[in-house]
Amino acid sequence: MIIPPRPTLTPGSPRSRPGHLTWSAADGRLQALVVWTERQPGHGEDAEPLAAYHRPTANGVLAVFDGSGGSGAAPAWRGPDGTTYTSAWAGARVARLATECWFQHSVASGEEDSLPHLKHVLRTVLHAAPTGARSKITGSMRRVLPTTLAAVRYRAHEEGVHWQAIWAGDSRSYALLPVSGLHALTRDDTRETDALAQLRQDPPMTNVICADRDFTLSAHGGEFREPCVLLAATDGFFGYVHTPAQFECVLLDTLGRARDMGDWAGLLRRAIQPATGDDASLSLAALGFEGFGQLRDAFTERRADVVRSGYLDVPPGGGPQALRGWQDRTWETYRPAYEKFMPEVRE
């Protein structure tokens, strides 16, 4: 079982944290990385990403967790040094622990389609978590330990990769394919279903994981032929670009300049950290490539196509109307492939 390490405390003050983590690993035709950054070191509400792989069964999971800071702003836990952490901070980390436990149990027991079991484990662990810090924050919007979850459970086999995307909230899972590029595998739990409109509006979520109310886990699955790249990301990665296509641009540009998976992770962190207005986390696995060189080369033509299509050509002038027109035009051409593997809109 391959599981990335947690970030460690930096030397000096026991309350200081590095504010970011990158990690990578390779095992045969599997290559993986994670990227995690905090806007406020030590208090980021994204939990550390999960990337686990079970060698005997060729099963893996990628997952990210974004504590919902608005509804989870109440204090929930006080550390040994007296630092108080929010309900959103704690919720994301409790959900990560539950998801890791669920994956380890499911591969040990041979369960593949175990969505009800994941919800049971999440509820059990959330209900067992201490939330003793007092708060004056009340109201219908308040949640106890609220967090998003976006995960991809996958299994490599002789003919390709079987995948199941699982989510609650507005974190997302994707596939990145050498010919057709980036495809969303999940659909945000918001009333607005258009990805460009979501960038413009940042609509409220209609469903999050939490300890005090019922929540829904959605799932959607399929098969890809190898080679392919699967990933999960919080909105700190995809929510601060001009169009959905520009998240793919970030992925491909950094991949094209990287020497290996560790370097790709570092380039991703350095590309996103100055641009995002939020904590950001990403977990990624490349499947079926014979080494990093083949992975990078497989996306050379796709990267050139993205550049030729003008997805990076933000209008230098003209004001908001010019920007909006460019967004609409480029989204119209990019949208069909981006939405190809998304689940249907729920009524």
Side-chain angles (χ1 to χ4, degrees):
M1 183 86 71
I2 305 173
I3 299 174
R6 302 289 183 92
T8 56
L9 295 178
T10 56
S13 167
R15 296 174 64 175
S16 66
R17 277 184 175 268
H20 63 262
L21 164 75
T22 59
W23 171 91
S24 64
D27 186 75
R29 289 160 59 89
L30 166 71
Q31 302 171 79
L33 64 80
V34 301
V35 181
W36 173 79
T37 73
E38 294 182 303
R39 186 175 57 175
Q40 182 182 359
H43 291 272
E45 289 175 340
D46 280 19
E48 297 85 349
L50 176 63
Y53 181 69
H54 188 246
R55 289 190 184 99
T57 61
N59 272 270
V61 67
L62 310 166
V64 293
F65 314 84
D66 180 2
S68 303
S71 61
W77 180 70
R78 185 169 290 109
D81 64 353
T83 303
T84 298
Y85 297 90
T86 66
S87 191
W89 183 96
R93 285 151 178 83
V94 171
R96 185 197 189 280
L97 172 63
T99 304
E100 186 176 323
C101 291
W102 161 77
F103 176 70
Q104 293 196 18
H105 175 271
S106 65
V107 294
S109 62
E111 296 180 8
E112 287 196 23
D113 188 8
S114 55
L115 193 65
H117 183 232
L118 174 57
K119 183 173 181 178
H120 171 74
V121 175
L122 283 164
R123 291 192 66 85
T124 299
V125 179
L126 285 164
H127 289 162
T131 56
R134 295 185 178 181
S135 171
K136 296 180 181 179
I137 301 174
T138 60
S140 61
M141 296 300 293
R142 181 183 173 185
R143 298 289 185 272
V144 177
L145 305 179
T147 183
T148 71
L149 179 155
V152 187
R153 172 83 183 269
Y154 63 91
R155 178 175 57 85
H157 54 86
E158 291 183 358
E159 298 181 1
V161 177
H162 174 76
W163 58 269
Q164 181 186 45
I166 302 168
W167 75 96
D170 63 358
S171 295
R172 298 177 186 170
S173 296
Y174 298 91
L176 182 64
L177 305 181
V179 174
S180 53
L182 190 69
H183 305 276
L185 305 179
T186 57
R187 190 176 288 278
D188 292 5
D189 284 327
T190 60
R191 290 188 173 87
E192 176 56 66
T193 61
D194 182 286
L196 178 58
Q198 289 167 341
L199 278 176
R200 290 168 170 166
Q201 301 170 15
D202 190 20
M205 289 179 284
T206 57
N207 173 60
V208 292
I209 293 167
C210 58
D212 59 327
R213 307 186 190 198
D214 193 23
F215 58 85
T216 300
L217 289 182
S218 298
H220 175 59
E223 297 269 346
F224 289 131
R225 297 182 64 86
E226 290 188 338
C228 65
V229 176
L230 300 174
L231 63 141
T234 62
D235 63 355
F237 261 95
F238 58 78
Y240 294 85
V241 291
H242 289 294
T243 70
Q246 288 192 336
F247 178 40
E248 180 181 350
C249 294
V250 171
L251 292 168
L252 296 183
D253 175 68
T254 51
L255 172 61
R257 293 186 287 116
R259 300 182 302 272
D260 51 37
M261 287 298 279
D263 193 34
W264 190 16
L267 288 169
L268 279 168
R269 180 188 68 79
R270 290 190 289 275
I272 203 67
Q273 202 163 12
T276 190
D278 200 355
D279 308 314
S281 49
L282 178 144
S283 183
L284 178 151
L287 301 156
F289 298 94
E290 299 289 351
F292 185 79
Q294 188 183 83
L295 165 62
R296 184 183 54 220
D297 294 346
F299 286 94
T300 299
E301 185 58 35
R302 174 62 188 176
R303 183 186 178 195
D305 288 344
V306 166
V307 172
R308 285 193 295 265
S309 297
Y311 298 134
L312 290 171
D313 300 335
V314 182
Q321 287 188 333
L323 175 62
R324 192 177 186 90
W326 170 81
Q327 288 175 314
D328 290 339
R329 290 191 300 273
T330 56
W331 177 229
E332 184 179 359
T333 61
Y334 188 76
R335 183 174 184 175
Y338 177 85
E339 294 185 342
K340 180 177 181 179
F341 300 108
M342 287 180 74
E344 296 295 326
V345 177
R346 286 200 298 261
E347 297 295 333

